[in-house]
Amino acid sequence: MASTAMDIDEPTTTTVKAKKSVSAFSGKKVNTSLSTPWVEKYRPVSLDDVVGNEDTVKRLKVIAQDGNLPNIILSGPPGTGKTTSILCLARELLGSSFKGAVLELNASDARGIDVVRNKIKMFAQQKVTLPPGRHKIIILDEADSMVAGAQQALRRTMEIYSNTTRFALACNNSSKIIEPIQSRCAILRYTRLSDSQVLKRLMEVCEAEKIVYTNPGLEALIFTAEGDMRNALNNLQSTHAGFATVNDENVFKVCDQPHPMIVKGIIDSCVKADVRGAVENVSKLWNAGYSAIDIIGTIFRVCKGFDMVEGLKLLFIREIGFTHMRIAQGLDTELQLHGLCARLCSKSPNFRNLK
Ligand SMILES: Nc1ncnc2c1ncn2[C@@H]1O[C@H](COP(=O)(O)OP(=O)(O)OP(=O)(O)O)[C@@H](O)[C@H]1O
Ligand SMILES: [Mg+2]
Protein backbone atom coordinates (compact mmCIF):
# COMPACT_ATOMS: atom_id res chain seq x y z
CA MET A 1 0.00 0.00 0.00
CA ALA A 2 2.57 2.48 1.11
CA SER A 3 4.80 1.51 -1.76
CA THR A 4 2.58 3.36 -4.25
CA ALA A 5 3.64 6.59 -2.70
CA MET A 6 7.25 5.74 -2.45
CA ASP A 7 8.24 7.09 -5.81
CA ILE A 8 8.81 10.39 -4.07
CA ASP A 9 11.80 12.60 -3.87
CA GLU A 10 14.45 10.52 -2.27
CA PRO A 11 18.01 11.79 -2.60
CA THR A 12 18.77 11.46 -6.30
CA THR A 13 20.67 8.32 -7.21
CA THR A 14 20.00 8.16 -10.95
CA THR A 15 22.69 6.26 -12.76
CA VAL A 16 21.70 6.77 -16.40
CA LYS A 17 24.98 7.56 -18.15
CA ALA A 18 25.42 10.08 -15.43
CA LYS A 19 28.29 12.43 -15.08
CA LYS A 20 29.42 12.30 -11.47
CA SER A 21 29.13 15.53 -9.64
CA VAL A 22 29.29 16.55 -6.05
CA SER A 23 26.19 18.15 -4.64
CA ALA A 24 26.97 21.59 -3.33
CA PHE A 25 24.99 20.76 -0.26
CA SER A 26 25.77 18.42 2.60
CA GLY A 27 28.87 17.42 0.66
CA LYS A 28 26.90 14.35 -0.47
CA LYS A 29 27.83 12.69 -3.72
CA VAL A 30 24.99 12.29 -6.16
CA ASN A 31 24.99 10.88 -9.65
CA THR A 32 22.98 13.12 -11.89
CA SER A 33 22.12 12.92 -15.53
CA LEU A 34 22.67 16.11 -17.51
CA SER A 35 18.97 16.53 -18.03
CA THR A 36 17.99 16.45 -14.36
CA PRO A 37 16.12 19.63 -13.50
CA TRP A 38 18.24 21.60 -11.09
CA VAL A 39 15.31 22.10 -8.75
CA GLU A 40 15.42 18.35 -8.14
CA LYS A 41 19.19 17.99 -8.33
CA TYR A 42 19.63 20.67 -5.68
CA ARG A 43 16.60 19.83 -3.57
CA PRO A 44 17.89 19.90 0.01
CA VAL A 45 18.16 16.46 1.60
CA SER A 46 18.47 17.61 5.19
CA LEU A 47 16.82 20.42 7.13
CA ASP A 48 20.20 22.12 7.51
CA ASP A 49 20.22 22.79 3.78
CA VAL A 50 16.81 24.45 3.67
CA VAL A 51 17.37 28.15 3.08
CA GLY A 52 15.43 30.90 4.87
CA ASN A 53 12.37 30.82 7.17
CA GLU A 54 14.80 30.25 10.03
CA ASP A 55 12.24 30.18 12.83
CA THR A 56 10.03 27.61 11.15
CA VAL A 57 12.95 25.43 10.16
CA LYS A 58 14.33 25.67 13.69
CA ARG A 59 11.04 24.33 15.06
CA LEU A 60 11.16 21.47 12.59
CA LYS A 61 14.72 20.68 13.67
CA VAL A 62 13.62 20.51 17.30
CA ILE A 63 10.82 18.14 16.28
CA ALA A 64 13.33 16.03 14.35
CA GLN A 65 15.51 15.77 17.46
CA ASP A 66 12.73 15.06 19.97
CA GLY A 67 10.94 12.70 17.64
CA ASN A 68 7.49 13.72 18.82
CA LEU A 69 5.95 15.02 15.63
CA PRO A 70 2.60 16.77 16.17
CA ASN A 71 0.15 16.99 13.29
CA ILE A 72 1.43 19.96 11.30
CA ILE A 73 0.32 22.24 8.50
CA LEU A 74 3.00 24.06 6.52
CA SER A 75 1.52 26.99 4.70
CA GLY A 76 3.11 29.55 2.39
CA PRO A 77 3.78 30.71 -1.17
CA PRO A 78 5.04 28.33 -3.89
CA GLY A 79 8.70 27.40 -4.19
CA THR A 80 9.70 28.27 -0.65
CA GLY A 81 10.55 24.77 0.59
CA LYS A 82 7.40 23.31 2.17
CA THR A 83 7.41 19.92 0.45
CA THR A 84 11.17 19.80 0.78
CA SER A 85 11.05 20.50 4.53
CA ILE A 86 8.45 17.82 5.18
CA LEU A 87 10.45 15.23 3.26
CA CYS A 88 13.66 16.22 5.09
CA LEU A 89 11.85 16.01 8.41
CA ALA A 90 10.41 12.58 7.60
CA ARG A 91 13.84 11.37 6.49
CA GLU A 92 15.48 12.66 9.67
CA LEU A 93 12.79 11.19 11.90
CA LEU A 94 12.54 7.80 10.29
CA GLY A 95 15.94 7.18 8.71
CA SER A 96 16.00 3.77 7.05
CA SER A 97 12.32 3.11 7.83
CA PHE A 98 11.36 6.05 5.59
CA LYS A 99 10.15 3.84 2.76
CA GLY A 100 7.69 1.78 4.72
CA ALA A 101 6.49 4.36 7.20
CA VAL A 102 5.61 7.32 4.99
CA LEU A 103 2.56 7.71 2.79
CA GLU A 104 2.71 10.70 0.49
CA LEU A 105 -0.35 11.86 -1.37
CA ASN A 106 -0.32 15.03 -3.46
CA ALA A 107 -2.78 16.83 -5.68
CA SER A 108 -2.04 14.43 -8.55
CA ASP A 109 -3.44 11.51 -6.52
CA ALA A 110 -7.11 10.89 -6.00
CA ARG A 111 -7.89 12.19 -2.53
CA GLY A 112 -11.63 12.02 -2.28
CA ILE A 113 -13.56 10.67 0.65
CA ASP A 114 -12.99 7.07 -0.51
CA VAL A 115 -9.23 7.48 -0.42
CA VAL A 116 -9.38 8.92 3.08
CA ARG A 117 -11.67 6.09 4.15
CA ASN A 118 -9.65 3.33 2.55
CA LYS A 119 -6.08 4.17 1.68
CA ILE A 120 -5.28 6.56 4.53
CA LYS A 121 -7.15 4.53 7.14
CA MET A 122 -5.54 1.28 5.97
CA PHE A 123 -2.10 2.84 6.13
CA ALA A 124 -2.81 4.19 9.62
CA GLN A 125 -3.88 0.70 10.76
CA GLN A 126 -0.80 -1.03 9.30
CA LYS A 127 1.83 -2.26 11.75
CA VAL A 128 5.34 -1.05 10.99
CA THR A 129 8.32 -1.56 13.28
CA LEU A 130 9.81 1.82 14.05
CA PRO A 131 12.40 3.09 16.50
CA PRO A 132 10.77 3.88 19.87
CA GLY A 133 8.96 7.20 20.05
CA ARG A 134 8.62 7.50 16.27
CA HIS A 135 5.38 7.56 14.30
CA LYS A 136 4.28 6.73 10.79
CA ILE A 137 3.82 9.88 8.74
CA ILE A 138 1.09 10.66 6.24
CA ILE A 139 2.10 13.57 4.02
CA LEU A 140 -0.78 15.36 2.33
CA ASP A 141 0.89 17.75 -0.08
CA GLU A 142 -1.13 20.57 -1.65
CA ALA A 143 -3.82 19.85 0.94
CA ASP A 144 -5.75 23.01 0.04
CA SER A 145 -6.94 21.21 -3.09
CA MET A 146 -8.66 18.47 -1.07
CA VAL A 147 -12.41 18.78 -1.20
CA ALA A 148 -14.10 19.74 2.06
CA GLY A 149 -15.81 16.34 2.31
CA ALA A 150 -12.48 14.51 2.26
CA GLN A 151 -11.10 16.90 4.86
CA GLN A 152 -14.13 16.21 7.04
CA ALA A 153 -13.46 12.50 6.72
CA LEU A 154 -9.94 13.09 8.04
CA ARG A 155 -11.06 14.61 11.34
CA ARG A 156 -11.73 11.49 13.34
CA THR A 157 -9.05 9.45 11.57
CA MET A 158 -6.46 11.95 12.76
CA GLU A 159 -7.54 11.43 16.37
CA ILE A 160 -8.14 7.70 16.42
CA TYR A 161 -4.74 6.77 15.04
CA SER A 162 -2.77 9.52 16.77
CA ASN A 163 -0.86 6.89 18.77
CA THR A 164 0.83 5.52 15.69
CA THR A 165 0.36 7.98 12.85
CA ARG A 166 0.92 11.69 12.42
CA PHE A 167 -0.15 13.96 9.57
CA ALA A 168 1.92 16.60 7.80
CA LEU A 169 -0.03 18.85 5.46
CA ALA A 170 1.42 21.39 3.03
CA CYS A 171 -0.64 24.08 1.35
CA ASN A 172 -0.42 27.51 -0.23
CA ASN A 173 -3.52 28.85 1.41
CA SER A 174 -4.25 27.66 4.93
CA SER A 175 -7.74 29.17 4.91
CA LYS A 176 -8.77 26.45 2.45
CA ILE A 177 -8.14 23.87 5.16
CA ILE A 178 -11.29 23.41 7.20
CA GLU A 179 -11.14 24.81 10.73
CA PRO A 180 -11.46 21.51 12.61
CA ILE A 181 -8.31 20.24 10.86
CA GLN A 182 -6.51 23.51 11.56
CA SER A 183 -7.38 23.16 15.23
CA ARG A 184 -5.87 19.67 15.32
CA CYS A 185 -2.56 20.81 13.81
CA ALA A 186 0.32 23.11 14.62
CA ILE A 187 0.45 25.66 11.80
CA LEU A 188 3.90 26.69 10.56
CA ARG A 189 4.11 29.56 8.10
CA TYR A 190 6.56 29.99 5.25
CA THR A 191 7.25 33.38 3.70
CA ARG A 192 8.88 34.32 0.43
CA LEU A 193 12.66 34.06 0.54
CA SER A 194 14.69 37.24 0.74
CA ASP A 195 16.83 38.40 -2.16
CA SER A 196 20.04 37.61 -0.31
CA GLN A 197 18.89 34.06 0.48
CA VAL A 198 18.01 33.38 -3.16
CA LEU A 199 21.28 34.99 -4.27
CA LYS A 200 23.35 32.82 -1.96
CA ARG A 201 21.73 29.64 -3.24
CA LEU A 202 22.04 30.73 -6.88
CA MET A 203 25.75 31.38 -6.41
CA GLU A 204 26.24 27.96 -4.86
CA VAL A 205 24.50 26.32 -7.81
CA CYS A 206 26.45 28.44 -10.31
CA GLU A 207 29.66 27.31 -8.68
CA ALA A 208 28.64 23.65 -8.64
CA GLU A 209 27.60 23.79 -12.30
CA LYS A 210 30.52 26.02 -13.35
CA ILE A 211 28.28 28.61 -14.94
CA VAL A 212 29.53 31.84 -16.46
CA TYR A 213 27.40 34.62 -14.98
CA THR A 214 27.37 38.37 -14.51
CA ASN A 215 26.11 40.17 -11.43
CA PRO A 216 23.27 41.91 -13.31
CA GLY A 217 22.33 38.43 -14.56
CA LEU A 218 21.86 37.15 -11.02
CA GLU A 219 20.04 40.36 -10.07
CA ALA A 220 17.67 39.77 -12.96
CA LEU A 221 17.01 36.20 -11.79
CA ILE A 222 16.21 37.46 -8.30
CA PHE A 223 14.00 40.24 -9.66
CA THR A 224 11.94 37.83 -11.75
CA ALA A 225 11.74 35.12 -9.07
CA GLU A 226 10.09 37.32 -6.43
CA GLY A 227 11.23 35.13 -3.54
CA ASP A 228 10.39 31.82 -5.24
CA MET A 229 13.46 29.59 -5.18
CA ARG A 230 12.03 27.10 -7.66
CA ASN A 231 11.42 29.88 -10.16
CA ALA A 232 14.95 31.25 -9.69
CA LEU A 233 16.60 27.85 -10.22
CA ASN A 234 14.42 27.00 -13.22
CA ASN A 235 15.17 30.33 -14.88
CA LEU A 236 18.87 29.91 -14.17
CA GLN A 237 18.85 26.50 -15.84
CA SER A 238 16.80 27.70 -18.82
CA THR A 239 19.06 30.70 -19.38
CA HIS A 240 22.16 28.54 -19.11
CA ALA A 241 20.71 25.95 -21.49
CA GLY A 242 19.60 28.56 -24.01
CA PHE A 243 22.40 31.09 -23.99
CA ALA A 244 25.25 29.62 -21.91
CA THR A 245 26.10 32.98 -20.33
CA VAL A 246 23.77 34.16 -17.59
CA ASN A 247 23.51 37.92 -18.04
CA ASP A 248 20.52 40.20 -17.53
CA GLU A 249 19.62 40.44 -21.21
CA ASN A 250 19.44 36.66 -21.59
CA VAL A 251 17.52 36.21 -18.36
CA PHE A 252 14.82 38.67 -19.43
CA LYS A 253 14.65 36.97 -22.84
CA VAL A 254 14.03 33.63 -21.15
CA CYS A 255 11.61 34.95 -18.54
CA ASP A 256 9.85 37.06 -21.14
CA GLN A 257 9.32 39.99 -18.80
CA PRO A 258 9.67 43.69 -19.65
CA HIS A 259 13.27 44.75 -19.06
CA PRO A 260 13.41 46.78 -15.82
CA MET A 261 15.93 49.17 -17.43
CA ILE A 262 13.28 50.29 -19.93
CA VAL A 263 10.74 50.54 -17.12
CA LYS A 264 13.22 52.56 -15.07
CA GLY A 265 13.46 54.85 -18.09
CA ILE A 266 9.67 55.32 -18.01
CA ILE A 267 9.66 56.28 -14.33
CA ASP A 268 12.68 58.50 -14.75
CA SER A 269 10.92 60.36 -17.56
CA CYS A 270 7.80 60.74 -15.39
CA VAL A 271 9.86 62.19 -12.53
CA LYS A 272 11.25 64.71 -15.00
CA ALA A 273 7.72 65.36 -16.32
CA ASP A 274 8.89 64.28 -19.77
CA VAL A 275 5.70 62.65 -20.99
CA ARG A 276 6.99 62.08 -24.51
CA GLY A 277 9.93 60.01 -23.30
CA ALA A 278 7.70 57.97 -20.99
CA VAL A 279 5.07 57.27 -23.66
CA GLU A 280 7.76 56.31 -26.14
CA ASN A 281 9.17 53.67 -23.78
CA VAL A 282 5.69 52.36 -22.95
CA SER A 283 5.00 51.98 -26.67
CA LYS A 284 8.33 50.20 -27.09
CA LEU A 285 7.26 47.57 -24.55
CA TRP A 286 3.72 47.39 -25.94
CA ASN A 287 4.99 46.86 -29.49
CA ALA A 288 7.34 44.15 -28.24
CA GLY A 289 4.17 42.25 -27.34
CA TYR A 290 4.02 42.56 -23.57
CA SER A 291 0.55 42.61 -22.06
CA ALA A 292 -0.69 45.59 -20.08
CA ILE A 293 -0.77 43.52 -16.89
CA ASP A 294 2.90 42.51 -17.30
CA ILE A 295 3.92 46.10 -17.95
CA ILE A 296 1.99 47.60 -15.03
CA GLY A 297 3.26 44.83 -12.70
CA THR A 298 6.86 45.61 -13.61
CA ILE A 299 6.26 49.37 -13.36
CA PHE A 300 5.02 48.86 -9.80
CA ARG A 301 7.94 46.67 -8.74
CA VAL A 302 10.53 48.98 -10.29
CA CYS A 303 8.88 52.07 -8.80
CA LYS A 304 8.91 50.46 -5.36
CA GLY A 305 12.70 50.21 -5.46
CA PHE A 306 13.31 53.43 -7.44
CA ASP A 307 15.56 56.05 -5.91
CA MET A 308 13.27 59.09 -5.63
CA VAL A 309 11.67 61.46 -3.10
CA GLU A 310 9.51 59.39 -0.74
CA GLY A 311 6.40 61.61 -0.99
CA LEU A 312 6.45 61.54 -4.77
CA LYS A 313 6.96 57.77 -4.73
CA LEU A 314 3.78 57.36 -2.67
CA LEU A 315 1.82 59.49 -5.14
CA PHE A 316 3.23 57.42 -8.01
CA ILE A 317 2.38 54.11 -6.38
CA ARG A 318 -1.15 55.32 -5.71
CA GLU A 319 -1.66 56.15 -9.39
CA ILE A 320 -0.04 52.91 -10.49
CA GLY A 321 -2.38 51.04 -8.15
CA PHE A 322 -5.48 52.66 -9.67
CA THR A 323 -4.29 51.86 -13.18
CA HIS A 324 -3.45 48.29 -12.17
CA MET A 325 -6.99 47.91 -10.88
CA ARG A 326 -8.51 49.20 -14.11
CA ILE A 327 -6.32 46.90 -16.18
CA ALA A 328 -7.22 43.93 -13.99
CA GLN A 329 -10.88 44.78 -14.51
CA GLY A 330 -10.43 44.47 -18.27
CA LEU A 331 -9.31 47.88 -19.57
CA ASP A 332 -6.01 46.48 -20.73
CA THR A 333 -5.19 48.94 -23.51
CA GLU A 334 -2.11 50.93 -24.42
CA LEU A 335 -4.16 54.07 -23.82
CA GLN A 336 -4.47 53.24 -20.10
CA LEU A 337 -0.69 53.05 -19.82
CA HIS A 338 -0.25 56.31 -21.69
CA GLY A 339 -2.84 57.88 -19.37
CA LEU A 340 -0.81 56.63 -16.43
CA CYS A 341 2.32 58.31 -17.82
CA ALA A 342 0.42 61.58 -18.12
CA ARG A 343 -0.92 61.36 -14.57
CA LEU A 344 2.50 60.46 -13.16
CA CYS A 345 4.09 63.41 -14.99
CA SER A 346 1.45 65.74 -13.57
CA LYS A 347 2.45 64.68 -10.03
CA SER A 348 6.08 65.61 -10.57
CA PRO A 349 7.34 68.91 -9.08
CA ASN A 350 9.03 69.52 -12.44
CA PHE A 351 5.58 69.65 -14.01
CA ARG A 352 4.74 72.77 -12.00
CA ASN A 353 8.00 74.38 -13.09
CA LEU A 354 6.97 73.80 -16.70
CA LYS A 355 3.71 75.67 -16.30
N1 LIG B 1 14.10 27.08 1.27
C1 LIG B 1 14.69 26.46 0.25
N2 LIG B 1 15.99 26.13 0.30
C2 LIG B 1 16.59 25.52 -0.72
N3 LIG B 1 15.98 25.17 -1.87
C3 LIG B 1 14.69 25.46 -1.99
C4 LIG B 1 13.98 26.12 -0.94
N4 LIG B 1 12.71 26.29 -1.34
C5 LIG B 1 12.62 25.77 -2.56
N5 LIG B 1 13.81 25.27 -2.98
C6 LIG B 1 14.05 24.67 -4.28
O1 LIG B 1 12.82 24.71 -5.00
C7 LIG B 1 12.34 23.39 -5.27
C8 LIG B 1 10.88 23.32 -4.92
O2 LIG B 1 10.67 23.43 -3.54
P1 LIG B 1 9.42 22.79 -2.81
O3 LIG B 1 8.88 21.66 -3.62
O4 LIG B 1 9.78 22.51 -1.42
O5 LIG B 1 8.40 24.02 -2.85
P2 LIG B 1 7.00 24.14 -2.13
O6 LIG B 1 7.13 25.16 -1.06
O7 LIG B 1 6.49 22.79 -1.76
O8 LIG B 1 6.13 24.78 -3.32
P3 LIG B 1 4.62 24.46 -3.75
O9 LIG B 1 3.75 25.28 -2.84
O10 LIG B 1 4.55 24.95 -5.16
O11 LIG B 1 4.39 22.99 -3.62
C9 LIG B 1 13.19 22.45 -4.43
O12 LIG B 1 13.45 21.29 -5.18
C10 LIG B 1 14.46 23.22 -4.18
O13 LIG B 1 15.37 22.96 -5.21
MG1 LIG C 1 5.04 21.53 -2.57
Side-chain angles (χ1 to χ4, degrees), residues 9 38-44 49-53 57 76-86 141-142 170-172 190 193 201 228-231 233:
D9 327 76
W38 289 350
V39 278
E40 293 310 328
K41 187 171 172 185
Y42 295 102
R43 188 189 279 275
D49 299 332
V50 176
V51 179
N53 291 296
V57 175
T80 47
K82 299 179 299 298
T83 306
T84 310
S85 306
I86 293 189
D141 210 352
E142 290 120 31
C171 61
N172 294 126
Y190 276 69
L193 302 174
R201 185 61 153 210
D228 176 343
M229 185 74 88
R230 183 193 287 125
N231 193 323
L233 288 176

Side-chain angles (χ1 to χ4, degrees), residues 22-267:
V22 178
S23 160
F25 316 107
S26 302
K28 283 193 181 139
K29 280 192 177 175
V30 275
N31 294 331
T32 43
S33 97
L34 282 174
S35 57
T36 321
W38 289 350
V39 278
E40 293 310 328
K41 187 171 172 185
Y42 295 102
R43 188 189 279 275
V45 285
S46 90
L47 282 172
D48 287 327
D49 299 332
V50 176
V51 179
N53 291 296
E54 287 82 7
D55 290 343
T56 313
V57 175
K58 211 192 276 169
R59 282 181 69 184
L60 293 178
K61 278 187 194 157
V62 172
I63 293 175
Q65 262 170 14
D66 295 353
N68 191 11
L69 171 73
N71 293 320
I72 51 171
I73 297 178
L74 301 191
S75 148
T80 47
K82 299 179 299 298
T83 306
T84 310
S85 306
I86 293 189
L87 292 173
C88 291
L89 178 69
R91 221 173 273 132
E92 284 177 29
L93 278 171
L94 299 170
S96 55
S97 327
F98 180 89
K99 263 194 180 277
V102 175
L103 173 68
E104 196 220 9
L105 295 172
N106 55 42
S108 66
D109 304 299
R111 293 186 302 189
I113 300 182
D114 287 347
V115 173
V116 175
R117 284 201 192 119
N118 304 324
K119 208 168 174 176
I120 293 183
K121 237 174 161 176
M122 290 274 280
F123 179 81
Q125 286 167 348
Q126 254 173 34
K127 279 214 158 52
V128 180
T129 325
L130 290 175
R134 300 287 192 253
H135 303 90
K136 281 178 289 177
I137 301 175
I138 297 181
I139 299 174
L140 295 173
D141 210 352
E142 290 120 31
D144 40 5
S145 67
M146 281 177 81
V147 290
Q151 295 189 33
Q152 295 286 3
L154 264 185
R155 292 165 65 165
R156 200 67 188 123
T157 316
M158 264 186 173
E159 287 171 350
I160 294 176
Y161 300 103
S162 61
N163 276 343
T164 55
T165 309
R166 298 293 157 86
F167 286 78
L169 283 70
C171 61
N172 294 126
N173 185 354
S174 65
S175 64
K176 291 216 180 119
I177 308 278
I178 58 168
E179 276 202 18
I181 301 273
Q182 289 192 34
S183 96
R184 285 167 173 77
C185 297
I187 303 184
L188 303 176
R189 303 221 178 262
Y190 276 69
T191 54
R192 290 184 184 282
L193 302 174
S194 72
D195 290 356
S196 56
Q197 287 160 347
V198 178
L199 175 68
K200 190 161 161 269
R201 185 61 153 210
L202 284 177
M203 286 178 52
E204 285 170 344
V205 173
C206 284
E207 190 151 311
E209 294 290 331
K210 310 222 170 0
I211 295 173
V212 185
Y213 64 87
T214 64
N215 288 342
L218 293 188
E219 269 172 37
L221 284 171
I222 292 168
F223 181 84
T224 49
E226 293 181 73
D228 176 343
M229 185 74 88
R230 183 193 287 125
N231 193 323
L233 288 176
N234 275 334
N235 289 341
L236 175 69
Q237 186 169 19
S238 311
T239 313
H240 179 64
F243 301 94
T245 314
V246 178
N247 59 25
D248 54 339
E249 201 182 313
N250 294 342
V251 171
F252 286 112
K253 266 187 212 156
V254 165
C255 302
D256 207 18
Q257 285 200 10
H259 199 301
M261 281 322 281
I262 302 182
V263 178
K264 262 190 187 147
I266 297 174
I267 296 176

Side-chain angles (χ1 to χ4, degrees), residues 210-351:
K210 310 222 170 0
I211 295 173
V212 185
Y213 64 87
T214 64
N215 288 342
L218 293 188
E219 269 172 37
L221 284 171
I222 292 168
F223 181 84
T224 49
E226 293 181 73
D228 176 343
M229 185 74 88
R230 183 193 287 125
N231 193 323
L233 288 176
N234 275 334
N235 289 341
L236 175 69
Q237 186 169 19
S238 311
T239 313
H240 179 64
F243 301 94
T245 314
V246 178
N247 59 25
D248 54 339
E249 201 182 313
N250 294 342
V251 171
F252 286 112
K253 266 187 212 156
V254 165
C255 302
D256 207 18
Q257 285 200 10
H259 199 301
M261 281 322 281
I262 302 182
V263 178
K264 262 190 187 147
I266 297 174
I267 296 176
D268 199 40
S269 303
C270 292
V271 172
K272 290 182 189 141
D274 167 18
V275 76
R276 272 172 210 280
V279 164
E280 207 173 285
N281 273 329
V282 166
S283 296
K284 203 195 266 177
L285 291 178
W286 184 265
N287 294 333
Y290 293 110
S291 71
I293 202 88
D294 281 349
I295 298 175
I296 193 78
T298 316
I299 292 181
F300 167 66
R301 280 163 53 212
V302 170
C303 184
K304 215 166 57 170
F306 197 79
D307 184 20
M308 64 199 282
V309 184
E310 200 66 14
L312 186 61
K313 190 188 274 189
L314 292 178
L315 290 175
F316 270 32
I317 288 181
R318 184 182 142 94
E319 283 305 327
I320 294 169
F322 284 135
T323 309
H324 201 148
M325 189 176 68
R326 269 180 230 124
I327 290 174
Q329 284 171 347
L331 278 171
D332 51 352
T333 58
E334 192 183 6
L335 189 63
Q336 284 298 324
L337 295 168
H338 287 174
L340 172 69
C341 293
R343 282 193 299 277
L344 293 185
C345 288
S346 69
K347 303 278 179 235
S348 154
N350 296 331
F351 178 71

